Amino acid sequence: MGNSDFHGALFVPAAHHWVGREGQQPAWIILHGTAGFTTARQCADYFADPATEASAHYIVGRDGEVIQCVHEINAAWANGAITGEPGTGGDGVHHDAWWSQMGLNPNLLTIAIEHVKPSQDNSDSLTTEQKAASFRLIADICQRWGIPPRFADARGGITGHFSIDPVNRSGCPGPYPWAELWEFVKGGAAMVPSGWKDDGKTLVAPNGVKVVQGFRDYVLAHAWHADNWPLESEHGATPVEISNPSLGGGTRQRFRWTTLEWTPKRGVFEAWTGQELQAYELRTAALNKEVAELKAKLAARPVGLTEPMQNALRNALPVLQYLCK
Ligand SMILES: [Zn+2]
């Protein structure tokens, strides 16, 4: 969309950035948490305010929305100063030594990604949708800039703000699914299950059924087994689970071995398929019992009914059975 560098990202320009990178090229991706805000748009509007002396290249929302605020060829006002002593970053005391050894503004060498976290201390975990969007964005940037898709070292890679500013930003980004990220970026294209096809927007299983949007992100981010193909398209369901009505309405897609569900409150998640199946089995048993009772009544009471009435009742049975499914 617009003139963003990442497919699908909305571009909302930040008020401040450095034009160009003084001849440097990004070699590190720095992950941040917003410590406030509930949507990517709120954070983008904050960066768009000239009074805000900060910016980032990207913001990833709780719902998986990605907004770009600074072009990747430019440097964001994202990482502040290098603090602490040189050493091995991540302990809240030392910055990773290469930052100070290079004698350059780290912003010239980095691409900054903010993750919306409502808590002021960044203690929130990413939502499933946010995680999927963050992983895809990082993999895409790594590929386009030749950034090594691994934990940062002196030659480049991915790390958190704590690596540069351990004194003030030891809790930035806060909880982040690093292990899952390494799995995802290492897998690269192999995360598309074998025999399935993905064009960057739509995932198509070997049986031709499509998996889109958040469900697609989930499948791509979870080492999905190739044989666990979808049995139906995603569709609305209210309630989304009969065994847990408190979830409310949402959407659902059944796969051979599991079920993906989405609700506005929880985002995408894997359903408790066994519990749900048992609820259906109990319901089916109760309905079968009802049908058997109706059949017995019908058989016991033909007397007094005219033949057309009996026929009408018999014709109605399959319809009743169908409706009770
Ligand atoms: Zn930060």
Side-chain angles (χ1 to χ4, degrees):
M1 261 180 273
N3 47 0
S4 64
D5 296 316
F6 176 64
H7 178 77
L10 179 70
F11 194 82
V12 179
H16 301 292
H17 65 265
W18 289 288
V19 176
R21 292 178 174 271
E22 298 181 13
Q24 303 297 323
Q25 197 174 302
W28 290 270
I29 296 172
I30 306 297
L31 307 187
H32 299 259
T34 56
F37 303 115
T38 52
T39 67
R41 185 69 205 212
Q42 287 170 351
C43 186
D45 289 344
Y46 172 72
F47 286 151
D49 181 349
T52 303
E53 297 191 335
S55 59
H57 292 91
Y58 293 98
I59 308 161
V60 182
R62 305 293 288 168
D63 57 358
E65 183 185 22
V66 179
I67 296 183
Q68 183 170 17
C69 307
V70 176
H71 281 118
E72 292 173 6
I73 53 162
N74 296 323
W77 291 18
N79 300 306
I82 302 167
T83 65
E85 295 297 312
T88 300
D91 59 1
V93 178
H94 297 88
H95 63 259
D96 278 311
W98 63 81
W99 298 118
S100 50
Q101 283 164 358
M102 284 184 300
L104 286 167
N105 173 355
N107 288 299
L108 299 174
L109 305 161
T110 53
I111 289 174
I113 303 175
E114 287 282 358
H115 297 82
V116 173
K117 292 190 170 194
S119 302
Q120 304 249 305
D121 61 358
N122 273 334
S123 59
D124 309 89
S125 297
L126 301 197
T127 68
T128 303
E129 285 166 320
Q130 193 175 25
K131 186 168 71 177
S134 178
F135 288 1
R136 283 175 52 215
L137 174 62
I138 291 169
D140 189 65
I141 294 170
C142 284
Q143 203 171 33
R144 285 187 288 103
W145 287 99
I147 295 174
R150 51 168 160 73
F151 203 71
D153 61 22
R155 291 163 300 164
I158 307 155
T159 185
H161 198 178
F162 55 78
S163 159
I164 299 172
D165 184 358
V167 174
N168 306 303
R169 294 290 184 267
S170 63
C172 188
Y176 188 88
W178 294 103
E180 280 182 72
L181 172 66
W182 308 138
E183 256 178 63
F184 182 84
V185 288
K186 267 183 220 145
M191 294 301 287
V192 176
S194 142
W196 297 38
K197 292 207 161 54
D198 186 69
D199 64 3
K201 218 180 157 203
T202 305
L203 183 61
V204 184
N207 62 355
V209 179
K210 291 172 181 165
V211 184
V212 295
Q213 296 184 322
F215 288 2
R216 170 179 167 273
D217 292 340
Y218 192 94
V219 166
L220 293 179
H222 284 80
W224 204 260
H225 198 289
D227 291 344
N228 192 13
W229 60 72
L231 302 169
E232 59 180 6
S233 299
E234 181 177 354
H235 58 86
T238 305
V240 76
E241 288 181 14
I242 62 167
S243 62
N244 186 6
S246 69
L247 284 169
T251 65
R252 186 169 71 207
Q253 187 168 21
R254 298 229 188 263
F255 295 72
R256 290 177 76 203
W257 307 341
T258 186
T259 306
L260 287 183
E261 292 176 350
W262 172 89
T263 68
K265 218 171 171 181
R266 285 196 51 184
V268 176
F269 57 99
E270 279 188 55
W272 293 2
T273 303
Q275 173 180 296
E276 185 71 351
L277 178 62
Q278 189 192 41
Y280 275 101
E281 282 170 347
L282 292 171
R283 179 181 272 201
T284 304
L287 287 171
N288 282 344
K289 203 175 149 216
E290 238 175 272
V291 168
E293 281 165 9
L294 283 171
K295 268 186 185 168
K297 268 189 202 164
L298 187 60
R301 297 189 54 199
V303 186
L305 292 179
T306 63
E307 195 176 294
M309 284 167 86
Q310 290 177 36
N311 288 339
L313 274 172
R314 285 204 182 90
N315 289 339
L317 244 187
V319 178
L320 265 177
Q321 278 169 320
Y322 174 78
L323 287 175
C324 290
K325 255 185 213 170

